[in-house]
Amino acid sequence: MSGAVGPIGGAAGTETTKLILTNTGQVACTLQGWPGVSYVGDGNGTQIGPAATFDRTQAAPTVTLQPAGQASAPLRIFGTNGPDCGITHADGFRIYPPGQKASLFVKSPTIAACSTSPDLEVGPLN
């Protein structure tokens, strides 16, 4: 499994992107649920701030990924400009595919992260 993050865009106060998971194996696999997501930094994978909360307003379908197939989940980034944010630079994201204990690192060199308050929300894979 490999991970990527789509382009980050949006209005002031709320940015949006997609987490993209790709099946790098030789056989189909299934995923169902919400990926675990957090910022990481310090050049060594140290988690920055709390992990993303789950947006449970939509059901989480079971997704079958053929080899090289992809699934995505919406990611919202809130309030990195607030006074209680503790803004810092992140190296990227740590992503746990649903049902997995091994994480993926996705580099994203231009991310501002909140170190003291939650500011990530992720939707289900689809």
Side-chain angles (χ1 to χ4, degrees):
M1 188 76 51
S2 69
V5 175
I8 298 174
T14 303
E15 296 176 305
T16 59
T17 188
K18 287 187 178 182
L19 301 178
I20 303 162
L21 298 179
T22 302
N23 180 359
T24 58
Q26 300 297 312
V27 296
C29 67
T30 59
L31 298 170
Q32 192 271 330
W34 291 258
V37 183
S38 60
Y39 293 117
V40 292
D42 294 336
N44 62 9
T46 299
Q47 183 171 323
I48 299 171
T53 59
F54 297 146
D55 176 359
R56 296 188 183 272
T57 60
Q58 297 179 14
T62 299
V63 178
T64 300
L65 297 180
Q66 297 300 324
Q70 295 183 327
S72 65
L75 179 66
R76 285 174 286 289
I77 304 168
F78 301 106
T80 54
N81 56 358
D84 298 326
C85 173
I87 198 162
T88 189
H89 174 77
D91 299 328
F93 297 97
R94 178 180 294 125
I95 302 171
Y96 288 90
Q100 303 288 315
K101 293 185 180 188
S103 65
L104 307 169
F105 171 69
V106 176
K107 185 174 182 162
S108 189
T110 59
I111 296 178
C114 285
S115 64
T116 58
S117 63
D119 71 332
L120 295 173
E121 181 182 70
V122 65
L125 278 176
N126 53 56

